[in-house]
């Protein structure tokens, strides 16, 4: 039930608001203060539980050939209200989400010096119990188009917080995290990241959002943005002399940041806050700041558990391409005359083998990469027309394979690698989606590897951001679900377009060898914007034993890989390893078969970024519960109280644990499975090996 109180306060006192205006969260713990300086400069600050976590910070923009929107403002009126609402996500960690906040919209104007100036700018603030947010609104006015050259929004930190960060980069988030004090970012960045980040986007104090922070007093803060629509993605640049972040927008090719047509609302700038780490994990603030679902009939949007003809290419066992060829013209190249190199993974026989295994084991879909022509010439070439997304290789019988999959009760999952050529994808998108419909595909993994074309564009510029959403909306029109890799990191738009069931936009399993801490950080950062196609479930850790020459080892235990299905929430989950590796360990694979990908309730039990996460979740479609935990390189023990279980029932718990001698580096495949009857009054001891974890299914008896 929505309760809304709206009060519009016209301000008789005119120009300056020195005394300030305040909006506080329903529980009173999050407080946002707004002020205008003597010169009419808007500023805000945020406090949480009495601590000023964001000190007074300036707001505004520089514009091309126009007066900056930084000062000279007066406040014309302020509207205020409270909202107490609930909404039902199509998929998610909980079947219902509460949306409760107080808001304040400050309507400002400044005397126009010319008709072409922007005279009206409003700032909308919201205070939730789990954080504060604001966005700029440009009402309809005489000047209806302008160009932003810089956003000047500051977030002045209340102290030298600990940060878990990745470097600012206009094109990728595929980095491991660094943990450091804010004042140490420059030093680490110059040592570790200078060479990796492309020079155009290197700033020694630039970081990406979502940025996880912890104050010396033990409060947890997260800085991100929500509802990134028709605007460039925001990174943050730190002025380390004052510990003040300044918004750092991804530029367009001409160096400007955004072209805006009024009326317009910018994405939200968000400061999430909690006094426990689990508060950040449980927060729905980013989703709450997004618009409600825009798709009327969502019955076709379903969670997806899938396998893929994929890991064998990633590890080097087989190839995406069909033959060896280079620098050819796709429209004239004749594959039927080419000599296959014999390592093509997406061939009929191999795909049938995967279909059999996936169908026998209850998967919903099977991804096949390398099914379509063009892979000989795609990587690092900056070639415009690389793929047509509709022509299969000669050894991939798209008709027969789809029929075979459907006859076994599963679907094939489409793959569109664009190799960064957005114009080429745009020109083929209709026919590509239509081909999917023709054969019964209802989900696509898209990808944007390499530099974005046309040259000068970046992965996170306004134009590219618009493309990703266009692709999602067009897919929705055709009832297709999208899992975008290398697209801009999510900002909660999946609430509005729930057919966006996945994104990569972070370092996932394909890196094969990451620090065990990585998966204890992602849920605090990348996952705050939406689910990640992390691709867990690797069982064979020594990759050289099946992909000769690949000496990267997955740096996790098998129990850790199982736990990821719970700690890395996503409605799209892959069982990423090869059928033959699962076949060797069917007892452990049982957990992947059983684990749901949609939940009615989630409880984050304990966590600390960079160290561990423990969560329990209830299946949306049964009375069964599941629990999982992951740890960094440190061994850890805990007692798991089962008070989340129904007190009137008994459950059979199947516990997938690290063996006593398991270790992510030296003995990663050692696990022990035990079974016992439990009740809600019980507590189970759980132990996680270095780089390990645990996974438990609780079947209601
Ligand atoms: C990068 C993606 O993240 C990966 O999953 C995919 O297999 C390759 N690109 C090829 O498209
Ligand atoms: Ca990737």
């Amino acid at each position: 039930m929505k309760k809304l109180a709206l009060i519009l306060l016209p301000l008789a006192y005119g120009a300056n608001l020195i005394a300030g205006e305040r909006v506080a969260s329903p529980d009173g713990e999050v407080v946002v203060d707004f002020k205008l300086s003597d010169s009419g400069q808007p500023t805000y600050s945020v406090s949480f539980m009495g601590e000023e976590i964001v000190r007074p910070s300036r707001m505004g923009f520089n514009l091309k050939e126009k007066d900056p929107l930084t000062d000279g403002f007066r406040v014309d009126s302020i509207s205020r209200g409270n909202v107490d609402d609930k909404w039902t996500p199509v998929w998610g960690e909980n079947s219902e989400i509460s949306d409760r906040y107080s808001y304040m919209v400050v309507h400002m104007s400044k005397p126009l010096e010319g008709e072409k100036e922007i005279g009206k700018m409003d700032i909308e603030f919201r205070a939730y119990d789990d954080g504060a947010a604001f966005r700029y609104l440009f009402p309809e006015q005489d000047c209806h188009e302008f160009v932003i050259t810089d956003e000047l929004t500051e977030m002045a930190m209340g102290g030298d917080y600990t940060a878990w960060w990745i470097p600012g980069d206009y094109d990728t988030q595929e980095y491991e995290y660094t943990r450091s004090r804010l004042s140490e970012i420059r030093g680490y960045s110059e040592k570790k990241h200078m060479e990796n980040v492309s020079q155009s986007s290197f700033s020694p104090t630039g970081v990406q959002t979502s940025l996880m922070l912890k104050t010396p007093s033990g409060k947890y803060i997260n800085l991100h943005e929500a509802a990134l629509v028709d605007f460039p993605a925001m990174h943050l640049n730190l002025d380390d002399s004052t510990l003040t972040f300044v918004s750092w927008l991804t530029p367009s090719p001409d160096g400007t940041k955004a072209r805006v047509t009024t009326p317009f609302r910018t994405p939200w700038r968000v400061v999430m806050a909690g006094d426990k780490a689990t508060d950040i994990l449980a927060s729905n603030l980013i989703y709450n700041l997004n618009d409600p679902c825009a798709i009327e009939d969502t019955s076709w949007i379903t969670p997806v558990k899938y396998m893929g003809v994929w890991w064998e290419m990633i590890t080097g066992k087989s190839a995406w391409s069909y033959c060896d060829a280079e620098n050819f013209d796709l429209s004239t190249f004749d594959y039927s005359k080419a000599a296959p190199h014999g390592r093509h993974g997406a061939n009929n026989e191999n795909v049938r083998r995967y279909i059999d295994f996936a169908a026998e084991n209850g998967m919903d879909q099977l991804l096949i990469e390398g099914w379509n022509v063009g892979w000989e010439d795609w990587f690092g070439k900056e070639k415009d027309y690389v793929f047509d997304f509709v022509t299969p290789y000669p050894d991939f019988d798209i008709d027969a394979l789809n029929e075979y999959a459907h006859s076994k009760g599963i679907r094939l999952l489409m793959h569109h690698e664009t190799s960064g050529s957005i114009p080429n994808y745009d020109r083929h998108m209709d026919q590509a989606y239509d081909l999917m419909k023709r054969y019964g595909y209802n989900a696509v993994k898209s990808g944007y590897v390499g530099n974005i074309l046309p040259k000068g564009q970046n992965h996170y510029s306004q134009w590219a951001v618009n493309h990703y959403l266009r692709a999602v909306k067009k897919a929705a029109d055709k009832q297709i679900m999208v899992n975008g890799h290398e697209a801009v990191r999510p900002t909660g738009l999946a609430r509005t377009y729930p057919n966006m069931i996945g994104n990569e936009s972070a370092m996932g399993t394909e890196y094969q060898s990451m620090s065990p801490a990585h998966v204890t950080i992602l849920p605090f950062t990348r996952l705050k914007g939406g689910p990640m196609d992390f691709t867990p479930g690797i069982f064979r850790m020594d990759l050289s034993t099946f992909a000769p020459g690949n000496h990267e080892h997955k740096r996790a235990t098998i129990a850790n890989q199982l736990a990821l299905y719970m700690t890395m929430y996503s409605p799209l989950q892959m069982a990423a390893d090869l059928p033959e590796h699962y076949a060797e360990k069917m007892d452990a694979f049982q957990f992947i078969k059983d684990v749901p990908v949609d939940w009615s309730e989630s409880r984050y039990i304990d966590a600390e970024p960079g160290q561990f996460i423990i969560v329990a979740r209830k299946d949306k479609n049964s009375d069964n519960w599941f629990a999982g935990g992951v740890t960094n390189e440190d061994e850890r023990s805990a007692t798991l109280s089962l008070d989340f279980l129904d007190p009137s029932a008994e459950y059979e718990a199947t516990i997938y644990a690290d063996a006593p001698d398991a270790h992510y580096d030296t003995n990663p495949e050692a696990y022990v499975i035990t079974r016992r009857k439990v009740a809600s009054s019980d507590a189970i001891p759980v132990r996680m090996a270095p780089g390990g974890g645990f996974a438990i299914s609780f079947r209601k008896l």
Side-chain angles (χ1 to χ4, degrees), residues 310 314 320 369 375 415 417 445 449 485-486 504 510:
W310 176 74
I314 291 287
W320 282 271
E369 296 201 5
W375 288 88
H415 184 231
E417 173 56 63
K445 169 180 172 179
V449 169
H485 278 226
E486 295 88 28
E504 184 195 38
E510 67 192 48

Side-chain angles (χ1 to χ4, degrees), residues 364-392:
D364 302 305
Q365 305 213 0
L366 176 72
L367 166 75
I368 300 131
E369 296 201 5
W371 68 276
N372 57 323
V373 297
W375 288 88
E376 289 72 19
D377 207 21
W378 76 289
F379 189 71
K381 301 276 179 68
E382 300 191 336
K383 205 172 157 181
D384 176 23
Y385 191 149
V386 194
F387 297 105
D388 68 8
F389 312 97
V390 291
T391 312

